[in-house]
Amino acid sequence: MNAGGARSTSAAGSHAVQIGFVVGLVVLWYLAATRWGVSSILLPNPITVARDLWEILRTGEYVDDLRVTLTELAAAFAISATSGVVLGYLISRSTYRIRVFEPLFAAIYSVPIILFLPLYVLFFGLGPPSKIALGATISFFPVVLNTIAGFGYVDRLLITAARSMGASDYQLFRFVLLPAALPVILTGMRMGFTVALLSIIGSETIASLAGLGHRIVHLAEAMEMARMFAYIAFVVAIAAFLNVVVSTLEKRGRRF
Amino acid sequence: MPAAVMQRIARSPGLARLGVIVMLLAIWEAAARWVVDPLFLAPPSRVVTSLGAVLGTRGVPAALQITVFELAVAFAISVAIGLVVGLVVGLHNFSRRSFMPIILLLYGTPQVTILPLFILYFGIGPASKIAFGVTHGMFPIIMTVAAGVQNIKPILLVSARSMGASSVQILRHVIFPHMIPSFFTGMRLGMTGVLLGVLLAELYVSTAGIGYFTTLFTQNFDPTKLLGLISILAAMAIALNEIVRRLEVRFARWRD
């Protein structure tokens, strides 16, 4: 057998292990829920969960909560992306400003910002504004730090060369700075988007009136476990979908 | 301002950074004193002077102790699991290709959606916080350990084996020393994860931990104590992050 054949055989083996792992988990879950007498409050029957998930999707009862969560996410990300890129660009224009602000932002970023949630709830109430504020705060830092890194560490030689060939400010920005910085900024934006989503669902879980996180907690408190598992699966799928979309956009933008 | 002072500030970004921090604190102080309702915001001067009162509140020192205990245990378990699973998964090509996608997938899912389940399974005491911290902390350690093991040059393994080293000797003298830099990077990322997981779970539900007191101070509209407690926790988080970061820097150099 040649090397390519061996590699594809072992790749098939890896896939088999992966599929086996997932199937094994589901089978264990099913057996635990039906045969081994694990209480349905701790572990609902997977078939009931699947039925509930189907019902949730069919009746569209998720629409209101999904709308709340996505609106919060969009608002938070719009705020953090705009302010992060603008501030990052302004700071990156001088080495002095980079040395003043970059360590400051990096230090704040190392604090778990979720700690501010009680404060934001105090300021903005239990509704969407506190989630938007928290999501925007948390996702601001990866965006601004990556924007500074992207614009601030463009090879000086490229800038000098462009200048000496008579590039205007606009031309310098459009043809030298932006292409060099864009990949790094896009990575920052993707990271910011992911943490914004996480922190918004997290803050909905901790203290809120509506949204997908709130729905899961509500079902947990009502002990409707099968429905809660169905919602968890739904939210995980939504999050995975959004992450794939953002990663694809990032890759597309890099090529540009 | 005299020209000499201006020049000094212009030469040292550290001083300017300090100036920015002082300015922000001054704005906060002014806003809290004259603009914002004292039910929602306390000036930093009063927050600092009330730190003693926060620590003197009945139950707060015990709550901080519980949180430190949860963080320490969660971190220790994360490191142990991360090291073992990372080595097992990373040492062989086949297991790495089979299990890394599963680990990445689990790492990428928004774990906060299953936070209510942790409370259900592990109760509202420290156990659920520790468990939630572990699920946040172990994945980055698994991934960096597996990646660190993978980066060992095959020639080192081959030459060690050809000189008659046993598996244990190879593990002890070749694999461990090479893994150390990435292991400490993993510990730093793991600490960030553990802090996030434990604090999220604390804020979600808590009967005696710091989450209980943040809720209490929020509901009593006591921003002075709330800000004081948040500052203490933030300082704690910064200290823990700084310890693992220093270790990382030190051991990254150690190999050369």
Side-chain angles (χ1 to χ4, degrees):
Chain A
M1 195 185 283
N2 60 22
R7 198 175 301 135
S8 72
T9 315
S10 113
S14 293
H15 284 305
V17 171
Q18 283 159 15
I19 293 166
F21 185 82
V22 174
V23 171
L25 266 184
V26 175
V27 168
L28 273 182
W29 177 11
Y30 180 78
L31 287 176
T34 55
R35 296 288 153 81
W36 301 335
V38 175
S39 158
S40 67
I41 286 182
L42 292 180
L43 204 60
N45 189 328
I47 295 171
T48 324
V49 173
R51 204 187 304 131
D52 277 8
L53 181 59
W54 172 242
E55 196 188 299
I56 290 164
L57 292 176
R58 193 171 48 84
T59 58
E61 63 164 67
Y62 62 87
V63 170
D64 285 341
D65 288 314
L66 184 65
R67 193 187 299 129
V68 170
T69 302
L70 289 185
T71 313
E72 288 165 353
L73 178 63
F77 187 64
I79 294 171
S80 64
T82 325
S83 58
V85 168
V86 170
L87 263 178
Y89 177 72
L90 292 178
I91 290 170
S92 74
R93 291 300 76 224
S94 99
T95 339
Y96 177 72
R97 260 177 275 164
I98 294 178
R99 287 175 60 198
V100 172
F101 286 102
E102 200 184 23
L104 191 64
F105 287 142
I108 302 174
Y109 188 36
S110 80
V111 179
I113 296 171
I114 189 82
L115 276 176
F116 297 160
L117 179 62
L119 204 62
Y120 283 179
V121 170
L122 187 64
F123 290 164
F124 302 109
L126 284 169
S130 57
K131 279 87 215 166
I132 295 172
L134 188 80
T137 312
I138 292 187
S139 58
F140 167 76
F141 290 97
V143 177
V144 75
L145 285 169
N146 277 43
T147 307
I148 295 175
F151 279 123
Y153 300 103
V154 177
D155 196 344
R156 304 299 304 175
L157 195 64
L158 291 176
I159 298 175
T160 320
R163 278 282 187 224
S164 67
M165 287 188 279
S168 68
D169 278 353
Y170 170 76
Q171 284 170 327
L172 185 72
F173 179 80
R174 170 68 187 81
F175 296 105
V176 180
L177 292 177
L178 193 60
L182 197 61
V184 188
I185 297 174
L186 286 173
T187 304
M189 286 181 138
R190 175 180 53 75
M191 288 160 65
F193 185 86
T194 313
V195 291
L197 176 62
L198 280 181
S199 58
I200 282 171
I201 295 177
S203 51
E204 282 177 355
T205 305
I206 292 169
S208 69
L209 303 169
L212 292 168
H214 174 79
R215 168 71 66 175
I216 291 173
V217 172
H218 182 75
L219 290 167
E221 280 163 2
M223 290 283 169
E224 287 194 48
M225 300 317 287
R227 215 171 185 73
M228 175 185 144
F229 269 68
Y231 259 103
I232 290 174
F234 178 67
V235 176
V236 168
I238 296 271
F241 171 72
L242 287 176
N243 285 339
V244 168
V245 169
V246 177
S247 298
T248 316
L249 285 178
E250 186 197 351
K251 283 203 194 89
R252 187 102 22 109
R254 274 166 182 275
R255 233 179 292 139
F256 157 85
Chain B
M1 213 180 280
V5 175
M6 291 301 285
Q7 256 180 4
R8 208 171 140 59
I9 288 179
R11 264 204 312 271
S12 127
L15 270 183
R17 200 180 310 135
L18 210 63
V20 172
I21 295 170
V22 170
M23 202 178 72
L24 289 176
L25 285 175
I27 294 174
W28 174 8
E29 180 86 33
R33 270 178 194 277
W34 296 301
V35 186
V36 186
D37 190 328
L39 279 181
F40 296 99
L41 189 65
S45 57
R46 203 175 320 142
V47 173
V48 172
T49 49
S50 79
L51 282 180
V54 174
L55 288 173
T57 308
R58 225 165 71 91
V60 167
L64 285 172
Q65 254 173 25
I66 291 174
T67 306
V68 171
F69 169 75
E70 287 162 356
L71 288 170
V73 176
F75 186 65
I77 298 176
S78 301
V79 170
I81 296 180
L83 196 56
V84 171
V85 176
L87 276 177
V88 168
V89 169
L91 273 179
H92 297 287
N93 261 323
F94 182 72
S95 62
R96 184 168 59 242
R97 248 179 307 149
S98 305
F99 288 108
M100 270 321 261
I102 295 176
I103 290 167
L104 277 172
L105 190 72
L106 289 175
Y107 185 39
T109 55
Q111 295 179 29
V112 65
T113 52
I114 53 171
L115 177 52
L117 281 181
F118 279 78
I119 307 298
L120 196 69
Y121 293 160
F122 296 100
I124 53 176
S128 56
K129 280 82 177 180
I130 292 171
F132 202 58
V134 168
T135 61
H136 277 77
M138 66 182 188
F139 287 113
I141 304 181
I142 294 176
M143 292 198 315
T144 47
V145 167
V149 174
Q150 186 188 358
N151 289 338
I152 297 174
K153 289 196 189 85
I155 188 150
L156 293 173
L157 295 173
V158 173
S159 61
R161 210 176 278 291
S162 68
M163 287 187 278
S166 68
S167 297
V168 176
Q169 282 172 324
I170 289 181
L171 202 63
R172 164 75 187 78
H173 295 287
V174 183
I175 292 173
F176 274 146
H178 271 84
M179 205 186 62
I180 276 179
S182 57
F183 176 57
F184 278 94
T185 305
M187 293 233 286
R188 178 173 57 78
L189 297 172
M191 180 57 89
T192 313
V194 166
L195 278 166
L196 178 65
V198 168
L199 291 175
L200 265 175
E202 272 289 346
L203 293 177
Y204 174 55
V205 62
S206 171
T207 47
I210 52 101
Y212 170 77
F213 288 97
T214 55
T215 314
L216 183 75
F217 296 153
T218 309
Q219 282 166 356
N220 290 350
F221 288 96
D222 192 345
T224 318
K225 281 189 172 176
L226 180 62
L227 281 164
L229 184 58
I230 291 175
S231 323
I232 295 170
L233 290 167
M236 214 166 76
I238 292 173
L240 288 172
N241 279 329
E242 192 61 14
I243 292 171
V244 282
R245 199 187 61 82
R246 291 251 166 105
L247 284 174
E248 184 195 2
V249 171
R250 179 153 167 220
F251 282 96
R253 230 183 303 145
W254 174 78
R255 188 168 57 145
D256 302 326

